[in-house]
Amino acid sequence: MAKIGIVGAAGYTGGELLRILVNHPDVHLTCILSNSQAGKLISDVHTDLLGSTHLRFSKDLTPVDVLFLCSGHGESKKFLAANDIPWHTKIIDLSTDFRDESEGFVYGLAEFQKEKIQSATKIANPGCFATSIELALLPLAAAGLITEDVHVSAITGSTGAGQSLSPTSHFSWRNNNVSVYKTFTHQHLAEIKQTLGTKKAIHFIPYRGNFSRGIMANVYTPYSGTQEQAEKLYEDFYANSPFVFLSPAAVDVKQVVNTNKCFLYLQVHEGQILISSVIDNLIKGASGQAVQNMNLMLGWEEDLGLKLKSIGF
C-alpha cells in the first residue's frame, strides 16, 4: 500500500482526488493538508464522503510515498521551497507551476509520453483545456499533419474556475448565460504548443458554460486525407490508451462526466478535419489524470482505481 498525501485537499481538485483515492485498492491516505480546514473531518467539507472516511484535515506534513499538490497556481513552488521533501517521495503537481518541465518535472500526459512518466519522480499534471485539445490534435501532430493554423472553440463548466468565488462564478451570473474569456491568450496555450511541437498558430476561443463540470473542445484545421484515413490514424495512435476512445457518432459532455475518459469524434469535410473532444475537467482534466500518472509512476496498471461510471443522464 502506498502512503498518500494531498496538499490543498479542501478545494475541487483535492476533493476529487479524495473521492477517487478512498476507493483505490492500493493506496492508504495518511496526510490530508488544508490550512483553512485543519482539524475538521474531511466529510464536514466534502459532505458526500460521509461514511467513506473518518480522516481529518491537518496542517502537518508527514512522510508519504506520493504527494499531490492541489493548491492554487504559484503555491506549489512556495510549498516545495518551504518544506524539505525526501528525495524518494514522488510529487504530482496539479498547478501550472512546472508544466514547462522546469526543476526536473515531467509533463504528465500519458498519451504523449508514457515511458517518461513511468520513470519520473516529479510530474506536472496538464491543464484541463490543454488535455482536451492535446488529445484532439496529438495524432495529427505525430504524423506531421498540422500544416496550417488550428482553430479551437471550447467550453468549460463553472468548476474550471476553482472554488473561490468571482463575479463570473456566482449562480445568478452563470445560470442561463454563456461568455467568452481570455480569447487568443489562455494560459494553457503555452503547454499545448510545447506538447504538440508545432509552430503553427493555435487560435483558441474559450467559453464559460452554465453547467458545473465538463469540457467540449471543437478543433479544426486543414486536412487532405479521407474520413477513413483519419479514423485509422486516430485508432492506431490511441490503440494502447485505456481512456481515449473514438466515437462513431457526435459526442456530448455527459458521456464522460465523472470518468477519466476522453471521447473523440472526427468529421472530414471540404479539406478540413474537425475533432470534437469531451472530458471531465475535474477528472481527466485534473485529479483522475493525476491518479493515472501515479499508477504509471508506481508500476501499476494505468486504469487502477479509475474504472468510473459516467452520470449518463
Side-chain angles (χ1 to χ4, degrees):
M1 299 287 281
K3 293 182 179 179
I4 305 297
I6 302 175
V7 178
Y12 286 149
T13 56
E16 286 302 295
L17 265 176
L18 286 165
R19 291 178 184 97
I20 294 169
L21 293 176
V22 293
N23 293 305
H24 193 291
D26 288 345
V27 305
H28 181 45
L29 292 165
T30 61
C31 181
I32 312 302
L33 304 188
S34 171
N35 288 329
S36 64
Q37 305 296 338
K40 291 184 180 179
L41 286 167
I42 288 172
S43 57
D44 287 342
V45 176
H46 302 297
T47 55
D48 57 301
L49 291 177
L50 178 65
S52 297
T53 178
H54 299 292
L55 284 172
R56 293 181 181 271
F57 293 103
S58 171
K59 284 186 176 181
D60 302 318
L61 182 63
T62 58
V64 294
D65 299 306
V66 182
L67 184 64
F68 293 92
L69 304 179
C70 297
S71 299
H73 303 310
E75 296 301 316
S76 294
K77 284 188 176 181
K78 295 177 185 176
F79 180 88
L80 293 178
N83 292 273
D84 186 17
I85 310 297
W87 65 269
H88 55 80
T89 300
K90 298 183 187 299
I91 298 170
I92 301 175
D93 178 35
L94 279 76
S95 78
T96 61
D97 291 15
F98 303 104
R99 290 178 189 161
D100 59 356
E101 296 197 314
S102 60
E103 300 186 30
F105 277 79
V106 169
Y107 190 69
L109 187 68
E111 294 79 8
F112 171 58
Q113 49 186 12
K114 186 178 297 187
E115 290 183 3
K116 197 172 178 182
I117 292 167
Q118 288 171 324
S119 60
T121 57
K122 297 190 290 186
I123 292 292
N125 220 54
C128 52
F129 268 136
T131 298
S132 182
I133 295 166
E134 287 165 359
L135 293 176
L137 288 170
L138 271 174
L140 292 178
L145 295 176
I146 299 179
T147 58
E148 302 291 342
D149 289 1
V150 176
H151 297 266
V152 181
S153 176
I155 188 167
T156 186
S158 59
T159 52
Q163 198 169 32
S164 298
L165 282 175
S166 69
T168 58
S169 62
H170 283 280
F171 177 83
S172 57
W173 187 92
R174 198 97 178 197
N175 189 45
N176 296 322
N177 201 7
V178 175
S179 65
V180 297
Y181 71 110
K182 297 181 180 177
T183 54
F184 304 118
T185 63
H186 196 280
Q187 66 272 15
H188 289 181
L189 277 170
E191 63 186 277
I192 294 168
K193 290 180 179 178
Q194 171 186 286
T195 301
L196 297 177
T198 181
K199 294 184 179 179
K200 297 300 179 181
I202 299 175
H203 306 289
F204 179 25
I205 309 297
Y207 288 79
R208 302 180 183 96
N210 61 343
F211 51 94
S212 296
R213 59 197 294 167
I215 285 175
M216 171 176 276
N218 288 296
V219 183
Y220 67 95
T221 191
Y223 175 72
S224 59
T226 66
Q227 179 78 28
E228 291 74 20
Q229 289 170 330
E231 290 175 358
K232 186 177 189 309
L233 174 69
Y234 276 71
E235 287 170 351
D236 289 348
F237 188 90
Y238 289 119
N240 296 315
S241 299
F243 296 113
V244 183
F245 300 93
L246 198 62
S247 172
V251 292
D252 62 78
V253 169
K254 277 192 175 181
Q255 290 175 285
V256 295
V257 165
N258 199 48
T259 79
N260 200 53
K261 295 176 181 178
C262 173
F263 285 178
L264 302 173
Y265 176 58
L266 310 181
Q267 297 177 75
V268 174
H269 180 70
E270 295 184 352
Q272 300 280 326
I273 184 170
L274 169 66
I275 309 104
S276 298
S277 171
V278 288
I279 65 168
D280 185 318
N281 59 294
L282 291 179
I283 301 188
K284 183 56 176 167
S287 302
Q289 184 157 229
V291 173
Q292 181 181 355
N293 284 323
M294 176 195 73
N295 288 340
L296 290 170
M297 296 168 81
L298 295 177
W300 298 340
E301 290 296 321
E302 194 172 344
D303 60 356
L304 189 64
L306 288 169
K307 296 175 182 178
L308 308 172
K309 177 192 174 298
S310 69
I311 60 171
F313 51 84

